[in-house]
Amino acid sequence: MRATQFFLATLKEAPADAEIVSHKLMLRAGLIKRVAGGIYTWMPLGLRILRKVENIIREEMDRAGAIELLMPAVVPAELWQETSRWEMYGPELLRFKDRHQRDFVIGPTHEEVITDVARREIKSYRQLPLHLYQIQTKFRDEIRPRFGVMRGREFLMKDGYSFHASYEDLQREYQNMHDTYTRIFTRLGLSFRAVAADTGSIGGTGSHEFHVLADSGEDAIAFCPSSNYAANVELAEGVAPALPRKDHSEQMKRVATPDKTRCEDVAEFLGLPLTKTVKAIAVMHNEQFFLLLVRGDHTLNEIKTSKLPFLNPFRFASDDEVERFLGCRPGYIGPVGIAHDVQIIADRTVAQMSDFVCGANEAGFHLTGVNWDRDLREPNYVIDIRNVVEGDPSPDGMGPLSICRGIEVGHIFQLRTKYSEAMRASFLDESGQPRAMEMGCYGIGVTRIVGAAIEQNHDDRGIIFPRAIAPFEVAIAPIGYGKSQPVQNAANTLYSELKASGVDVLLDDRDERPGVMFADLELVGIPHRITIGERGLKEGMVEYQERCNTASVKIPLAHIGAYVRELLGA
RNA sequence: CGGGGUGUAGCGCAGCCCGGUAGCGCGCCUGGUUUGGGACCAGGAUGUCGGAGGUUCGAAUCCUCUCACCCCGACCA
């Protein structure tokens, strides 16, 4: 591609509303233009990147035996009503009516549509397994779109769905996809990690997320550096402390803690470590009142909590309810001396504590030196209900956990029969019996990958694209293209040669000053650059420079074509 | 949804407090000089000052409403 025949739209200054690097750089490099909140136009240069990502995914999915199809973005409400997701989904599902007042949605995911295809087409176990996928534009009306393309409302997604005659076969395909995703992200040149995950609203059992590791990631991942354990913190198990509960050494005392409602304030006020305090959280389930206890420095994990059968679903108690059940406003509530019909659920860590501090159920007072059994009844339940923190023991017993941040770019689920049962997608097995199909579902955020790749690969000059997804592999930067016939000839010849051998090359024939040219080519992230100037040509040399490296090397003009082809394996 | 902030030329911003009819840098156009890291000189074009209403002789500026966008929060006793 010649730059004069293309459309570069770089910006010297990033628009003020961009926050994270990838967003700023994407705007500056002219990859995207904002049209509305969370909705972007992909400019020609950006689209080249998106297409490369897409094609790698497509190649690997095909190789893994999946078959591509394309489902509609607009889906009739009836399909969503069949699985009750029409009611379950919140406002992030974009709904609208057509001219006949019939309800439709813009699909945020396509389990219903694909299951509808499967139940119409698949009659026999002989047709299974089947894995269908698409690469398609999705819409999710996010509460708060942000970070540019990273959490957009409209985005490109690869979503695949597999159908199986048995759970064993689903597990086989799940592993196949685990391997395939690993290949895809490796080929994309990303540093990533597969982590055990929560299944969220889509439902099902087994699930892994694939995260690109980046400090700006929205998800926290707990992993064990000395083993391959990795899990979303939402899911990572908080194990019980190894040591048993210590014997009490203090008497319980009531102390005044005026205006100290947060554990941090109480600990500081009393001169005690935060780990000696207990935080009490009041929740309601079916008008029944529960008190949840976590250590002061820990936080409640709502996902774990909501999975407890006797609490599902739960909501936080209102201030009035807290007062009604405990006789005290929030801020000073605690588990001591409360009515027997209030169930106490203690986190494992709390159950092991002794001589701790908690609210006295009396405004302005806390209790210190509190001990289980002696001062209050043992909890009704001792369960893992908190988020793990750095340094917690790894659930696999292989040492302390570390926590890092990641950008979720892929997610695989074992859906089992959730959708096939709801939509009566069944087949006849070997014995002629109808059975619900086992299903798996596998997503990749194509759009988000571009942002994540930039987040992971950039410097102060701009983007450093991994070669596999760079908009161009090589740039030719001729200095004085319009002035110098030798430069122009050398540049044109090299351009033709590389193009003929299938190299994705950009010839910057804009006749810009060298500074402008270099700045643009670096901003845009082209991995390799060949600079051709009269100065070098006099000695028969051109310069080669790698984007990720500041040093350049002189190469004889006569060899440069072969040099680049060698470099790229073209 | 709650809190905070911002809307002025394609982009970044000033002007607003103290009302007098809009400016700077970059970019863009023309001509010339330049050409190894975002050139220089000369000339030029570009704005419903986010929108509506109000106050006023007069509103980018003051008041009311509204829309859009950004940031933070939505973990909490």
Side-chain angles (χ1 to χ4, degrees):
Chain A
M1 184 65 71
R2 305 178 86 96
T4 52
Q5 314 278 300
F6 196 57
F7 188 60
L8 292 174
T10 57
L11 253 33
K12 262 192 191 173
E13 290 169 291
D17 51 11
E19 186 65 15
I20 61 171
V21 255
S22 61
H23 189 196
K24 283 184 189 155
L25 288 174
M26 288 182 80
L27 290 169
R28 279 194 57 206
L31 308 186
I32 53 169
K33 297 282 174 190
R34 196 189 73 89
V35 177
I39 298 175
Y40 295 86
T41 291
W42 283 83
M43 299 298 281
L45 192 69
L47 186 60
R48 292 179 69 92
I49 302 159
L50 200 60
R51 290 286 184 247
K52 289 193 177 183
V53 174
E54 197 182 320
N55 284 333
I56 288 175
I57 295 171
R58 182 174 285 117
E59 281 174 26
E60 292 299 333
M61 289 301 291
D62 290 347
R63 189 150 84 108
I67 306 166
E68 186 170 6
L69 84 171
L70 185 59
M71 291 181 267
V74 170
V75 179
E78 292 89 83
L79 283 176
W80 279 70
Q81 285 158 347
E82 250 189 276
T83 57
S84 298
R85 285 213 293 182
W86 175 259
E87 292 80 26
M88 300 295 288
Y89 243 76
E92 74 174 38
L93 178 63
L94 183 63
R95 305 157 208 247
F96 66 97
K97 288 182 193 298
D98 71 1
R99 65 164 71 193
H100 306 292
Q101 299 303 303
R102 286 193 284 252
D103 288 311
F104 286 85
V105 310
I106 300 193
T109 171
H110 279 70
E111 284 81 1
E112 282 82 359
V113 183
I114 199 75
T115 307
D116 185 53
V117 170
R119 70 178 166 186
R120 289 168 193 275
E121 303 303 323
I122 298 173
K123 306 290 172 208
S124 155
Y125 72 96
R126 292 171 191 274
Q127 293 168 283
L128 296 172
L130 180 66
H131 185 155
L132 298 170
Y133 77 96
Q134 63 173 348
I135 297 176
Q136 185 222 28
T137 297
K138 298 275 191 273
F139 193 93
R140 292 183 191 170
D141 204 352
E142 295 284 347
I143 306 178
R144 188 179 155 205
R146 59 183 133 180
F147 304 147
V149 115
M150 213 75 93
R151 182 169 289 283
R153 293 195 290 171
E154 189 181 286
F155 57 96
L156 195 62
M157 179 174 172
K158 187 286 294 181
D159 50 326
Y161 308 87
S162 67
F163 299 89
H164 309 271
S166 69
Y167 181 44
E168 291 66 37
D169 195 55
L170 166 59
Q171 286 176 306
R172 192 220 82 243
E173 181 65 6
Y174 185 81
Q175 187 56 46
N176 181 26
M177 279 300 116
H178 195 291
D179 297 346
T180 300
Y181 274 35
T182 301
R183 269 201 302 278
I184 289 171
F185 296 121
T186 303
R187 272 189 69 183
L188 289 169
L190 300 169
S191 159
F192 67 98
R193 187 141 195 169
V195 309
D198 182 61
T199 47
S201 60
I202 296 182
T205 48
S207 166
H208 279 84
E209 288 171 357
F210 286 77
H211 283 263
V212 166
L213 305 178
D215 291 337
S216 57
E218 288 192 89
D219 294 290
I221 300 162
F223 68 99
C224 177
S226 40
S227 74
N228 60 4
Y229 178 83
N232 196 305
V233 286
E234 292 173 347
L235 196 71
E237 184 184 356
V239 302
L243 298 171
R245 188 191 294 170
K246 278 199 223 151
D247 274 347
H248 55 82
S249 61
E250 299 173 25
Q251 286 306 304
M252 184 167 81
K253 274 195 304 205
R254 174 172 164 277
V255 296
T257 50
D259 302 321
K260 309 294 180 201
T261 58
R262 295 167 51 229
C263 284
E264 289 81 359
D265 298 335
V266 173
E268 194 193 339
F269 180 73
L270 298 176
L272 290 168
L274 190 53
T275 52
K276 283 303 245 185
T277 62
V278 167
K279 183 160 30 182
I281 301 156
V283 301
M284 302 293 293
H285 168 69
N286 290 347
E287 298 314 298
Q288 199 187 346
F289 186 87
F290 290 82
L291 203 58
L292 310 180
L293 304 178
V294 295
R295 203 169 72 184
D297 59 321
H298 288 156
T299 53
L300 182 71
N301 182 311
E302 292 184 36
I303 292 173
K304 290 177 185 174
T305 306
S306 64
K307 280 184 183 160
L308 302 177
F310 50 88
L311 277 181
N312 186 11
F314 80 93
R315 61 176 173 83
F316 292 104
S318 68
D319 289 3
D320 287 343
E321 284 165 338
V322 172
E323 182 150 30
R324 176 146 52 93
F325 285 96
L326 299 178
C328 172
R329 305 294 287 185
Y332 294 95
I333 63 175
V336 178
I338 59 176
H340 273 267
D341 57 346
V342 174
Q343 306 253 318
I344 298 175
I345 296 142
D347 181 66
R348 290 164 171 174
T349 313
V350 172
Q352 306 283 73
M353 289 170 74
S354 57
D355 298 325
F356 58 84
V357 179
C358 64
N361 291 322
E362 181 181 351
F365 291 92
H366 277 78
L367 300 172
T368 66
V370 180
N371 284 278
W372 291 109
D373 199 30
R374 185 190 70 183
D375 305 320
L376 74 164
R377 60 185 157 92
E378 292 284 345
N380 301 73
Y381 301 92
V382 176
I383 306 178
D384 171 31
I385 53 169
R386 69 175 174 95
N387 290 312
V388 296
V389 295
E390 184 98 27
D392 274 343
S394 172
D396 65 2
M398 297 298 285
L401 288 176
S402 290
I403 293 187
C404 68
R405 301 202 71 83
I407 300 163
E408 183 190 345
V409 290
H411 203 160
I412 58 178
F413 294 91
Q414 294 175 21
L415 293 174
R416 305 293 311 266
T417 54
K418 173 174 169 163
Y419 293 91
S420 50
E421 276 173 14
M423 296 182 66
R424 285 192 221 91
S426 59
F427 65 99
L428 296 180
D429 66 14
E430 293 92 325
S431 57
Q433 293 301 307
R435 282 172 44 195
M437 296 176 222
E438 290 280 352
M439 287 175 64
C441 123
Y442 320 91
I444 292 182
V446 181
T447 310
R448 185 180 277 185
I449 283 173
V450 179
I454 295 170
E455 208 58 46
Q456 206 173 62
N457 301 285
H458 65 269
D459 62 13
D460 52 356
R461 293 179 174 187
I463 305 169
I464 307 175
F465 272 115
R467 184 195 151 194
I469 62 172
F472 296 96
E473 294 174 290
V474 182
I476 302 173
I479 290 162
Y481 185 83
K483 263 279 169 47
S484 163
Q485 200 57 49
V487 166
Q488 192 174 125
N489 290 343
N492 287 347
T493 306
L494 178 60
Y495 173 63
S496 307
E497 182 188 340
L498 293 178
K499 215 169 68 156
S501 48
V503 174
D504 211 350
V505 56
L506 178 74
L507 170 61
D508 195 344
D509 59 347
R510 294 176 298 172
D511 201 24
E512 282 287 356
R513 302 175 64 82
V516 173
M517 225 167 16
F518 295 157
D520 275 349
L521 296 176
E522 282 162 356
L523 172 62
V524 153
I526 302 173
H528 308 282
R529 182 177 83 204
I530 292 141
T531 308
I532 302 176
E534 274 195 324
R535 214 169 63 186
L537 282 184
K538 284 189 184 128
E539 305 157 22
M541 301 295 241
V542 298
E543 271 167 58
Y544 164 75
Q545 185 172 346
E546 214 177 344
R547 175 65 182 84
C548 58
N549 199 329
T550 46
S552 66
V553 291
K554 289 192 176 174
I555 308 280
L557 175 66
H559 300 160
I560 186 65
Y563 184 85
V564 172
R565 287 203 310 273
E566 167 88 33
L567 207 66
L568 300 178

